[in-house]
């Protein structure tokens, strides 16, 4: 089944006179890994926060997993997992306490949680850390835990906002293996990044410049169209017109 | 289902409190410190009032009046003077607070059954000491005169001055202060702590992790409030116990009525705290706004200064200051032994504020920006 799980039409967000996201439109298919690329300040996070029901769009519409993000933000939240750019779990709680909290909030029963947590921990190689206080974990492990907390309830769409920021290359590689694994099980993954090598791993990538979409296709098609060898080179070509300051 | 989520969130709050025992320490230690220390130091009872007596009469009755003043523990005689100017000189040098002038012919007029006038002047630089001192002197004088009149069979005119205090017979400021301190403790603990907790989650970003889940906002706000409601009741119980054991002040009225009022006032303060936290983005911002509110509450709620002595426009304003009602309930139940039926209007006002502030807290909590 190849139906669209995310449908975005002219989605816009303004903060006063500043237009963070300017009338973007796109669709994401079920099970797809959809990469959202852009410099800092291009509007990636704002767009994602609107899709997660954390931010109200100024105009335009979008639906996620069949629910309208403007009128049904709470049903949207039941179907998604979100991993924010900034680590946002409870540092004073242990790994298991954090996972249990989020599983319960999503309505999982104790038995389901135990089963799901066991599999997830095994899979993330974190079994020995179950009772460790989260604040004492190194960054890479924290990111893995945040990933676990966002996927424990088996959402149909997973939003990852720069999941590999500040993570070493080997852990990044491992992280993408995780993303592939959940996508292969049918989870749709919407991921923002500014590591352009990571864009190569996506099914399709969308390049945002100054709040609007400048390019959207599979990495192979983009490279062909812009006659480049890497997505990195494509990005340089597309984003060179950027007006907003970025720490490129 | 909803209940399970609330329990999970409450469990989280308890685990966080255990990891950071600050809140627990505040709840246990603050009431003890406040209730033990403040009644000792923040007393407005007036002592060591020096009285300069201008004796123009030189009668035995004048000597009795002076002795009567000296017999009052709070008063002492700065000296006897032959002229008012000499006594005022003592006041200006700071050696006397109150001047009592006994006019010539006082004893004669008194024996004749006429109530002659006495002049009591107070140094108003320290207004409280002056005014209270003057009333102590007046009290001492009238009790001496009454005793003399009775012994000598003199019938005094009907309008002879008489003063007595209702409900707080010793005019002990401590008895007035202790119920007020309990109000202050609830303001601090149930107003500040939940507010700081919520803004703390905003600052650490964890509130966003919660906002992106389907958790209901009422459930979330409740999970923030319940721990502090419990804390507030513990604080009230602690404070009442210390008031009873250390200061010997037991409420004349019902403890149940006191607790009912505490519950309502806790709702008011925690609702206000959460509403302020919801619209603040940093702890500093939140604390600043809280302080502004609390200053108004303390100065206009009748905690330190009586509402009756405020100008009429300010008295109207105090109707919008919720602690006013709680302070009135506390004092009248503690000192007068009022029953619920006598002070139900204060309860109604407090309940209306509780409902209003809790609704405000729920309305200002937004899961979306």
């Amino acid at each position: 089944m190849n139906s669209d799980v995310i449908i975005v039409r002219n989605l816009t967000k303004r903060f006063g006179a500043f237009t963070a996201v300017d009338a973007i439109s796109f669709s994401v298919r079920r099970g797809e890994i959809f990469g959202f690329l852009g410099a800092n300040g291009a509007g990636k996070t704002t767009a994602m926060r609107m899709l997660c029901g954390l931010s109200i769009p100024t105009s335009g519409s979008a639906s996620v997993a069949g629910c309208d993000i403007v009128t049904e933000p709470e049903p949207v939240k039941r179907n998604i997992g979100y991993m924010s750019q900034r680590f946002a779990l409870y540092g004073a709680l242990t790994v298991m306490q954090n996972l249990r909290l989020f599983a319960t909030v999503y309505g999982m029963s104790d038995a389901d949680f135990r089963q799901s947590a066991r599999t997830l921990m095994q899979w993330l190689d974190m079994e020995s850390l179950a009772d460790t206080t989260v604040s004492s974990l190194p960054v890479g492990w924290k990111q893995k835990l945040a990933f676990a907390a966002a996927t424990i309830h088996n959402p149909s769409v997973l939003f990852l906002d720069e999941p590999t920021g500040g993570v070493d290359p080997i852990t990044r590689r491992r992280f993408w293996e995780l993303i592939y694994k959940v996508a292969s099980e049918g989870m749709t993954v919407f991921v923002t990044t500014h590591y352009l090598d990571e864009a190569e791993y996506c099914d399709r990538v969308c390049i945002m410049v100054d709040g609007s979409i400048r390019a959207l296709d599979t990495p192979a098609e983009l490279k062909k169209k812009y006659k480049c060898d890497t997505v990195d080179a494509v990005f340089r070509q597309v984003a060179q017109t950027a007006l907003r300051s970025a720490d490129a | 289902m909803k209940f399970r989520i609330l329990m999970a969130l409450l469990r989280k709050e308890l685990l966080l409190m255990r990891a950071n025992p600050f809140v627990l320490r505040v709840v246990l230690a603050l009431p003890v410190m406040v209730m033990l220390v403040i009644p000792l130091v923040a007393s407005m009872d007036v002592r060591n009032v020096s009285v300069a007596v201008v004796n123009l009469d030189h009668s035995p009755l004048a000597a009795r009046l002076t002795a009567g003043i000296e017999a009052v523990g709070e008063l002492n005689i700065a000296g006897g003077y032959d002229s008012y100017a000499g006594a005022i000189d003592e006041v200006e040098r700071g050696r006397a607070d109150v001047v009592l002038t006994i006019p010539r012919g006082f004893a004669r007029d008194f024996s004749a059954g006429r109530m002659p006038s006495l002049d009591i002047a107070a140094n108003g630089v320290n207004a409280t000491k002056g005014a209270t001192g003057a009333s102590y002197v007046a009290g001492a004088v009238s009790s001496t005169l009454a005793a003399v009149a009775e012994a000598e069979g003199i019938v005094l005119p009907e309008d002879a001055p008489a003063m007595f205090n209702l409900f707080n017979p010793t005019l002990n400021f401590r008895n007035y202060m202790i119920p007020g301190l309990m109000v202050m403790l609830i303001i601090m603990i149930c107003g500040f702590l939940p507010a700081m907790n919520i803004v703390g989650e905003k600052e650490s970003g964890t509130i966003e992790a919660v906002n992106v889940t389907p958790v209901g906002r009422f459930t979330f706000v409740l999970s923030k409030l319940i721990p502090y409601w419990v804390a507030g009741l513990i604080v009230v119980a602690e404070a009442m116990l210390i008031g009873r054991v250390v200061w010997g002040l037991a409420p004349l009225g019902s403890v149940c009525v006191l607790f009912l009022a505490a519950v309502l006032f806790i709702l008011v303060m925690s609702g206000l705290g959460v509403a302020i936290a919801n619209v603040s983005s940093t702890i500093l911002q939140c604390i600043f706004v809280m302080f502004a509110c609390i200053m108004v509450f303390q100065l206009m709620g009748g905690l330190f200064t009586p509402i009756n002595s405020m100008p009429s426009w300010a008295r109207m304003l105090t109707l919008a200051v919720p602690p006013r009602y709680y302070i009135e309930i506390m004092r009248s139940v503690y000192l007068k032994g009022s029953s619920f039926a006598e002070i139900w209007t204060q309860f109604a006002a407090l309940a209306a504020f509780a409902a209003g502030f809790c609704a405000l807290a729920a309305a200002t909590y937004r899961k979306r920006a």
Side-chain angles (χ1 to χ4, degrees), chain B residues 25-157:
Chain B
R25 283 190 200 138
V26 167
V27 168
L28 294 177
L30 190 70
V32 175
M33 272 160 39
V34 167
M35 293 302 294
L36 287 184
V37 180
I38 307 291
L40 278 182
V41 294
S43 163
M44 283 197 204
D45 289 352
V46 173
R47 292 202 180 79
N48 306 322
V49 179
S50 301
V51 183
V53 179
V54 182
N55 191 346
L56 304 176
D57 195 41
H58 299 290
S59 62
L61 180 60
R64 263 190 93 163
L65 285 177
T66 312
I69 288 168
E70 214 157 8
V72 175
E74 286 84 1
L75 303 176
N76 51 58
I77 299 291
Y81 302 89
D82 292 330
S83 71
Y84 188 67
I88 285 298
D89 218 38
E90 287 294 286
V91 171
E92 277 172 3
R93 292 203 185 122
R95 285 199 283 248
D97 305 297
V98 176
V99 178
L100 169 70
T101 311
I102 305 171
R104 190 162 295 136
F106 179 78
R108 188 191 60 222
D109 288 354
F110 183 73
S111 303
R114 291 192 296 267
M115 188 64 183
S117 69
L118 272 169
D119 179 65
I120 299 171
N123 178 7
V125 172
N126 182 340
T128 315
K129 194 172 188 182
T132 316
S135 75
Y136 286 168
V137 171
V141 167
S142 39
S143 61
T144 307
L145 291 181
V148 171
E150 205 185 296
E152 298 182 5
I154 301 167
V155 179
L156 286 178

Side-chain angles (χ1 to χ4, degrees), chain B residues 254-265 267-268 322 324-333 338-355:
Chain B
S254 141
V255 174
C256 294
V257 174
L258 286 178
F259 267 101
L260 178 64
V263 167
L264 288 176
F265 190 59
L267 287 176
V268 169
R324 178 210 152 121
Y325 304 101
Y326 185 50
I327 292 168
E328 283 173 1
I329 293 172
M330 285 294 271
R331 286 190 176 142
S332 47
V333 174
S338 300
S339 67
F340 181 81
E342 289 167 287
I343 44 177
W344 71 271
T345 46
Q346 276 90 338
F347 272 94
L350 213 50
F353 274 108

Side-chain angles (χ1 to χ4, degrees), chain A residues 13 49 52-56 69-70 73-74 77-78 80 82 84 86-90 92-93 97 100-102 104-110, chain B residues 1 4-5 8-9 11-13 15-16 18-20 201-216 220 224 367-369:
Chain A
K13 179 81 184 188
R49 287 172 55 84
C52 293
L54 284 174
S55 171
I56 304 169
I69 62 157
V70 180
E74 296 305 302
K77 286 169 187 173
R78 267 193 278 282
I80 62 167
Y82 170 71
S84 81
R86 182 174 162 206
F87 181 76
L89 297 181
Y90 292 94
L93 302 190
Q97 285 167 344
R100 182 184 288 275
L101 171 66
F102 285 99
T104 314
V105 159
Y106 280 108
M108 285 176 85
S109 70
D110 261 351
Chain B
M1 172 70 188
R4 264 194 79 217
I5 295 177
L9 290 170
R11 206 175 107 94
K12 172 207 80 177
E13 294 297 328
L15 288 169
L16 289 177
R18 208 171 61 186
N20 176 10
E201 285 222 25
K202 278 191 189 177
E203 286 192 344
S204 69
T206 46
I207 203 163
E208 192 170 274
V210 174
N211 283 346
V212 83
T213 68
V215 129
F220 182 72
K224 289 294 177 195
K367 288 184 80 179
R368 293 200 289 175

Side-chain angles (χ1 to χ4, degrees), chain B residues 231-245:
Chain B
L233 290 176
I234 293 175
V235 166
V236 172
E238 251 181 288
M240 277 168 53
L241 195 68
I242 295 173
R244 177 80 188 81
V245 172

